[in-house]
Amino acid sequence: MTTQFSEFSLSAALMARLNANKFEVPTPVQAGCIPPALEGRDVLATAQTGTGKTLGFLIPIVEMMQKNETKGAQALILLPTRELAMQVEKAFMTIRSSQAQTVALVVGGLAERSQLESIRRGAKLIVATPGRLEDYIKRKLVRLDTVKMLVLDEVDRMLDMGFQPAIARIAATLPAERQTLCYSATLEGAVKEVARKYLNNPARIEIGSVLKPAENVELRTFEVDPDKKQELLEHLLGAETGSFLVFVRTKHGADRVTRRLSKSGWSATQIHGDRSQAQRNAALRSFSEGRHRVLVATDVAARGIDVANVAHVINFDMPKVAEDFVHRVGRTGRASAHGVASTFAGPSERGDLRKIERVLAIQMKRFRVRSTELSAA
């Protein structure tokens, strides 16, 4: 296994950028994905968010760009959400080895003008969400016939969000002769289909168990009546230290929980689908900088949230499927820190809870709640 980035045959210019940013030791997903990608092979990787996969595809892209002087876009990265796209754009700017390696961010919810300006000036990399990019293609505002590398990141999420037809139409405009890198948290049905369709004899990289919460996250579940959840949340906020990321099922639920917390004197902010991009960015920033101790989020809005040092994840509403449970819980206990994840379940949700435990082969610590008296079940 490679232990240093210097062991990959990377150009001096890229190595200088990695060193300047203190990237020295590749994560397992980077060590697995980078060598075959540098050789020009297609890659199919299953890895959770937070495993360092972004550098796993950006490093081969930067290397490829150094060797190619062709005009137009040379690489396209498709992702499920604009938050994730913005993070990838930022990471690319950090490690690119020359000012000539320009990037266009193509996402909904932000002004078109600057996006189209970057494309017109000949951006070498396009980082996009499928909906907005497809819109530009239809309006003949972007050409992708020079793309040499396609990255599909968080494919499972993109399919969940209904982007499969858009991905197919975008892929149809790309050169058939290209390299494709595909990243997903799972290889369930539809993802397998996408892999079969777009990848050619890929190198297969599997990091850790695909469906497993991190070992260093303590899993608790509280059996609590729905009308007592808010009281329990506030009890835990008083009893524990550190930041809280609270997952709720609906936008209205997010509004309600946040409003009640603020009323009780807790510093809380929220992100969900009805909030503008500027509001989401502001909420994320104030949470990650510690100005708000609690961030209340819906699942779709939380895709791609990457905030360091979340002490406690609360499943205020039960996740629908085991996979969502893993995604939510994966926001704490990052980079070997200890984390706590608490799931609130009503008496009628016992079966759903057991199903999640069975699928993930886990056993959560059980507590029963009578008012705010907690007792181990």
Side-chain angles (χ1 to χ4, degrees), residues 41-44 78 150-152 155 158-159 163-182 190-202:
R41 283 192 69 184
D42 285 2
V43 169
L44 174 58
L78 287 179
L150 167 66
V151 175
L152 300 170
V155 176
M158 289 201 279
L159 300 183
F163 284 136
Q164 192 162 2
I167 293 169
R169 288 189 289 264
I170 291 164
T173 70
L174 301 172
E177 282 292 306
R178 62 163 193 269
Q179 183 180 5
T180 305
L181 313 179
C182 185
V191 179
K192 269 204 189 95
E193 200 47 51
V194 164
R196 237 197 325 272
K197 201 166 168 184
Y198 302 119
L199 298 171
N200 181 16
N201 182 28

Side-chain angles (χ1 to χ4, degrees), residues 115-128:
Q115 300 184 21
L116 294 172
E117 195 53 39
S118 306
I119 292 168
R120 267 196 297 273
R121 284 201 302 263
K124 296 284 186 272
L125 168 64
I126 293 175
V127 180

Side-chain angles (χ1 to χ4, degrees), residues 100-164:
Q101 292 165 2
T102 49
V103 57
L105 183 69
V106 173
V107 296
L110 296 179
E112 278 191 8
R113 208 167 124 204
S114 61
Q115 300 184 21
L116 294 172
E117 195 53 39
S118 306
I119 292 168
R120 267 196 297 273
R121 284 201 302 263
K124 296 284 186 272
L125 168 64
I126 293 175
V127 180
T129 50
R132 176 59 69 94
L133 181 61
E134 194 187 9
D135 176 44
Y136 286 179
I137 292 170
K138 278 184 187 144
R139 288 155 58 196
K140 301 204 172 9
L141 297 171
V142 63
R143 288 182 55 183
L144 301 172
D145 53 354
T146 51
V147 167
K148 294 179 175 58
M149 271 176 98
L150 167 66
V151 175
L152 300 170
D153 190 20
E154 304 224 350
V155 176
D156 49 328
R157 291 289 151 218
M158 289 201 279
L159 300 183
D160 280 354
M161 292 163 79
F163 284 136
Q164 192 162 2

Side-chain angles (χ1 to χ4, degrees), residues 265-280:
W266 302 102
S267 58
T269 185
Q270 56 177 324
I271 59 169
H272 57 62
D274 279 354
R275 304 204 85 198
S276 71
Q277 189 57 40
Q279 287 174 315
R280 291 192 204 190

Side-chain angles (χ1 to χ4, degrees), residues 274-291:
D274 279 354
R275 304 204 85 198
S276 71
Q277 189 57 40
Q279 287 174 315
R280 291 192 204 190
N281 290 350
L284 265 178
R285 200 163 45 244
S286 73
F287 179 63
S288 62
E289 289 170 5
R291 290 196 301 279

